[in-house]
Amino acid sequence: MAAHNQYRASQYNNAAPDQAFLWDIFRRVDKDQSGAISDTELQQALSNGTWMPFNPVTIRSIISMFDRENKGGVNFQEFWGVWKYVTDWQNVFRTYDRDNSGFIDRAELKQALTAFGYHLSDQFYGILIEKFDRQRRGQVAFDDFIQACIVLQRLTDVFRRYDTDQDGWIQISYEQYLCMIFSVM
């Protein structure tokens, strides 16, 4: 199983987008002027292109990646990483949204995940679409695409801890399986 070109929070801590530009955005998003952007504030600021609120699970996942102090939000320095992370995911999404529909269909999802190093069955891509298609359109929006990739990467990381010989097979007990799944949820 090839490694996904994973986006990790540590990659973005030293990113150098224009500080004045980001400070202006940060101030507008930080509605309560607390000096930290909460999940609610970030959700209101982001657009998934579908007129639906950004997936709250995706927002919490992103915040948790960058919130180094576990305060439930990101300060300005951490916001730089969030900005870069979301922007990079937008670029990835646009690369694989071949028809520019604003959604990733099954074929586009397969192409993206194959490029990331995953080799999965067509049946599994159907399961992914079903699981992450909040609008029940047979496709996933931008925010749900991010969430699908985050979940898949986390599950892969947990699987690899048990796949000590790296052959793509593990033998675990039911309780180990539950611990594995719950560590990702």
Side-chain angles (χ1 to χ4, degrees):
M1 186 182 316
H4 170 272
N5 184 8
Q6 183 175 355
Y7 296 94
R8 293 208 187 267
S10 61
Q11 292 175 297
Y12 301 105
N13 293 335
N14 298 322
D18 179 68
Q19 186 170 355
F21 171 76
L22 280 184
W23 177 247
D24 183 52
I25 292 172
F26 182 85
R27 282 193 346 233
R28 285 187 278 141
V29 173
D30 183 17
K31 299 281 187 203
D32 65 1
Q33 299 178 353
S34 66
I37 295 174
S38 69
D39 55 349
T40 304
E41 290 169 326
L42 187 59
Q43 182 184 29
Q44 291 170 355
L46 292 177
S47 169
N48 64 8
T50 68
W51 300 102
M52 285 185 62
F54 213 85
N55 186 330
V57 176
T58 307
I59 293 294
R60 285 191 300 276
S61 294
I62 292 170
I63 292 279
S64 72
M65 282 183 234
F66 292 91
D67 179 12
R68 288 187 226 116
E69 299 163 3
N70 294 323
K71 61 193 165 303
V74 291
N75 62 28
F76 178 65
Q77 182 181 356
E78 295 163 337
F79 179 68
W80 282 33
V82 169
W83 179 267
K84 177 101 172 77
Y85 184 82
V86 172
T87 301
D88 285 351
W89 272 115
Q90 273 182 324
N91 292 331
V92 168
F93 185 84
R94 287 181 183 135
T95 298
Y96 294 102
D97 179 18
R98 301 276 188 210
D99 60 1
N100 294 316
S101 65
F103 293 89
I104 297 284
D105 66 25
R106 183 186 210 152
E108 293 164 334
L109 182 62
K110 181 177 182 176
Q111 188 173 30
L113 294 181
T114 299
F116 296 162
Y118 292 102
H119 302 288
L120 306 164
S121 70
D122 287 338
Q123 179 184 1
F124 186 77
Y125 289 107
I127 291 168
L128 278 177
I129 293 286
E130 186 177 317
K131 172 70 178 161
F132 293 98
D133 174 15
R134 288 186 304 145
Q135 297 180 35
R136 302 292 170 231
R137 298 175 49 137
Q139 333 173 61
V140 292
F142 171 60
D143 52 340
D144 299 320
F145 174 72
I146 294 172
Q147 189 60 32
C149 291
I150 289 171
V151 168
L152 188 57
Q153 183 61 50
R154 285 180 178 165
L155 288 169
T156 300
D157 290 345
V158 172
F159 182 89
R160 284 187 175 145
R161 280 187 241 142
Y162 290 92
D163 186 15
T164 55
D165 59 359
Q166 301 297 303
D167 68 353
W169 291 90
I170 60 174
Q171 186 170 351
I172 58 174
S173 70
Y174 179 63
E175 186 171 338
Q176 286 173 313
Y177 166 76
L178 291 174
C179 289
M180 206 165 103
I181 298 303
F182 284 122
S183 73
V184 174
M185 296 175 72

